[in-house]
Amino acid sequence: MIKNLPLLVLYFATLQIGCGKYTDAKPSEKDNIPSTLEDLQSILDNDPELNQRSPKAADLSADDYFLTDLNLESLNAYERRTYIWSKRELFMKGNHNDWAYAYKNVNSANVALTYLDKMKGTQEDLNNVKGQALFHRANAFLQVTFIWTLAYDEQTADTDLGIPLRLDADPNKSTKRSTLRQTYEQIINDLKTAAGLLPLVPRGITRPSKPAAYALLARAYMAMRNYKEMGKYAILSLHYKNSLKDYNTLDTNSFILFPFAPRFSNDAEIIFGSNIVHTPALNYATAKIDSSLYKSFSQNDLRKKVLFSDNSNATFGFKGNYSGTINLFSGIATNETYLMQAEYFARMDLIDSAMFVLNKLLEKRFVVNTFIPLKAGNAREALYYIHEERRKELMMRGLRWMDVKRLNKEGANIRLKRIVNGQLYELLPDDPRYALPIPEDVIEMTGIEQNRE
């Protein structure tokens, strides 16, 4: 491993670099020190780590799907307990769990940032690497925040628990949880700096870009319910990338799995490509889409064919992965930024603008000449439509868990329910279990405070 590389994943997580001299069986300590800017870029291009292992816990916990009792029994204890929001969740120990995956990405970013000042290169290339590292760190922090903290509340943000903010490659610094305000401030600062450094168009969709940083800023501000700033950065992102995919161009044959473009292609909507780590629990053949959610799609809505596979037993699986593979998409796409822009306009009481943006998106989802534009008489009605379409467009992307938490802060009164072997499990709007338990081995090693039950 690279000399002095810290255990920044907080437990058993080692940096796994997948290229060149970093994969030697027994490399010397000297050889493992990054010596060129290309070395740092290789760390940030480690696709299996940075782009294919987004945490799955948010989707496991959310209400887009349900599992049969038989399917649930086939899963491991971590997945079963997450599914029913177990109060004493024993997360998988070691370096193969959501927490470890996220902090490995933080680790990679911090190593790149630590060695960057020692590298030679054009200012443009140096800026690009720094921007990528800050983006990846912020993205990982935001994913951890969505899962392991409560919904942001401006009144309590200075006392609510945030996450550990590891900002450098010093292994000797103690681990502690920041406040929730400090957590979001760090994420936002990283992304604002990254946006000023990144290129408009990356070399590939697995690398961050300026519009990706702006879109992620909008996502962070949405979670904070700072809708004015959310709108500002959604609009900035759309200024640089605003193309939409016309679902009429897709093969709507129900037997076609994964109808979207293969991974790494220049998809019309994808701004930044990443996937959720694969789990059988969320497989299209295992996870059954909530029946009321499926029924909310009208017959002329092409998403009803494109997004779902028919299980031939009155249940449906989700196959609409923008990854174009079995792995769920966790990246950033323009349909999300359009929805954030529409919500911003509605929150600002700009009803006509909100509905114009929403209808522009929806027109691309319906059979040609069948879409009837939605109309709203007030902001509340506009938000109802926007939130309904957000649920449809962004299902199984790791975002619903955050949405439930933020909307419940505004009185949505969303209650999550599971029925397992005839027993009802329920998560009420103010339940502290919306902040999932931190892995117990992390608590034992660092002494940080566990989330309350």
Side-chain angles (χ1 to χ4, degrees), residues 16 40 47 118-119 123 142 174 246 252 291 308 312 418:
Q16 299 172 2
L40 300 187
D47 177 75
K118 302 178 178 64
M119 302 305 169
Q123 192 60 52
L142 193 60
S174 62
D246 186 346
T252 59
S291 57
F308 305 109
S312 300
R418 311 277 202 211

Side-chain angles (χ1 to χ4, degrees), residues 86-130:
S86 173
K87 289 186 176 182
R88 293 193 176 275
E89 179 63 82
L90 298 177
F91 274 68
M92 295 169 65
K93 292 187 176 183
N95 64 340
H96 296 292
N97 62 57
D98 284 336
W99 181 278
Y101 289 146
Y103 275 97
K104 281 183 183 180
N105 289 358
V106 173
N107 197 7
S108 296
N110 283 338
V111 169
L113 292 168
T114 295
Y115 286 95
L116 186 61
D117 289 342
K118 302 178 178 64
M119 302 305 169
K120 295 181 180 180
T122 67
Q123 192 60 52
E124 181 181 5
D125 288 340
L126 289 166
N127 287 347
N128 192 1
V129 168
K130 183 176 181 179

Side-chain angles (χ1 to χ4, degrees), residues 140-158:
F141 280 158
L142 193 60
Q143 290 170 342
V144 173
T145 302
F146 284 174
I147 296 169
W148 284 285
T149 72
L150 296 173
Y152 188 88
D153 188 323
E154 183 65 29
Q155 303 303 313
T156 60
D158 288 318

